[in-house]
Amino acid sequence: MIEGIESFTVLYIEPKEYSKSPSTEGGDEEYQLSDGRQPFSSLPVFSLNTITSGLQKTSLVSFLGFENSRLGQILSNDDGASFNKLLACISVPAYIPGWENKSLRKHLLHFDSMETDLRTCPGANPYAVYQTLLDIYAENPRLVLTSLGTKPTAIGICVFLINNHPNNSVEKQLGAIYDYPIKSINRTIGIGEIYSYELSIS
């Protein structure tokens, strides 16, 4: 526990809209969310050696947003070496009805590259994300998590990682990767719902 701190509050302001440009192919709009990113790397303390695990491969758990190139980078760099299954989580309900369909359509091309299991989870509910991850972890002994979706989803992932990392063993392992994107200026428009999340430290 951090000395003197037993709880804290996380505030999140939901965007009313994301900045976007019309699609040149007549599909969904393209969202301008980041200007660049680093290669995906393991988070400190959550590194998992997925290459030397022998025949036991790892399931990739990805909470999806609008930038399908991020998931594409993970799968392209791995090329089947580590991950044998993709657990793709779509935000349902999304901030605005229909946004989940945009996210799903943008990622469909990646689902053919490996066995894919689709899950749904509310985009603004970290507790539901936590419970979903508990279910997934019970069914999959080796997991690597990556947060590509909403900020509340990221909160749920962080709490899950912190609470479950001490349970790591030879038989059951948990890792996490991230690409640290450089956020675009004026990436959102307007203010939607405002959320307050209370977290305790014990």
Side-chain angles (χ1 to χ4, degrees):
M1 181 173 68
I2 300 175
E3 186 175 354
I5 299 178
E6 297 181 353
S7 64
F8 60 95
T9 302
V10 178
L11 292 177
Y12 175 66
I13 301 175
E14 180 182 295
K16 190 172 183 179
E17 183 59 87
Y18 290 104
S19 298
K20 57 182 179 286
S21 59
S23 171
T24 57
E25 300 178 357
D28 292 323
E29 303 94 341
E30 296 297 326
Y31 291 89
Q32 309 297 317
L33 303 181
S34 59
D35 293 328
R37 61 187 70 98
Q38 304 297 318
F40 278 87
S41 59
S42 297
L43 299 182
V45 189
F46 295 101
S47 178
L48 189 64
N49 190 340
T50 58
I51 301 297
T52 60
S53 58
L55 298 177
Q56 187 180 23
K57 289 195 176 181
T58 306
S59 298
L60 173 66
V61 183
S62 179
F63 287 78
L64 304 180
F66 291 139
E67 296 178 290
N68 63 316
S69 60
R70 298 175 72 188
L71 178 61
Q73 180 185 352
I74 297 173
L75 299 181
S76 175
N77 290 344
D78 182 70
D79 196 25
S82 307
F83 304 122
N84 67 334
K85 183 194 297 183
L86 170 64
L87 298 165
C89 301
I90 305 292
S91 292
V92 177
Y95 293 158
I96 294 179
W99 278 8
E100 71 279 3
N101 294 326
K102 294 181 180 182
S103 178
L104 184 59
R105 283 194 297 268
K106 286 182 177 296
H107 290 88
L108 283 176
L109 73 163
H110 299 308
F111 297 162
D112 291 333
S113 62
M114 69 169 58
E115 178 185 348
T116 299
D117 183 7
L118 288 179
R119 306 286 180 104
T120 60
C121 198
N125 189 333
Y127 179 76
V129 170
Y130 187 90
Q131 294 299 315
T132 297
L133 288 173
L134 283 178
D135 293 340
I136 291 174
Y137 196 33
E139 301 166 0
N140 300 269
R142 292 174 58 86
L143 294 180
V144 169
L145 310 184
T146 185
S147 177
L148 309 180
T150 68
K151 297 300 184 293
T153 294
I155 295 172
I157 293 172
C158 290
V159 174
F160 177 81
L161 286 170
I162 292 169
N163 287 350
N164 288 277
H165 183 67
N167 299 328
N168 272 356
S169 64
V170 174
E171 295 79 17
K172 203 168 185 66
Q173 298 184 37
L174 181 64
I177 57 175
Y178 197 60
D179 58 345
Y180 305 96
I182 301 170
K183 295 180 181 179
S184 301
I185 298 175
N186 299 322
R187 68 200 300 264
T188 62
I189 301 170
I191 294 175
E193 300 289 335
I194 299 176
Y195 299 89
S196 174
Y197 305 108
E198 302 294 329
L199 302 177
S200 60
I201 302 174
S202 60

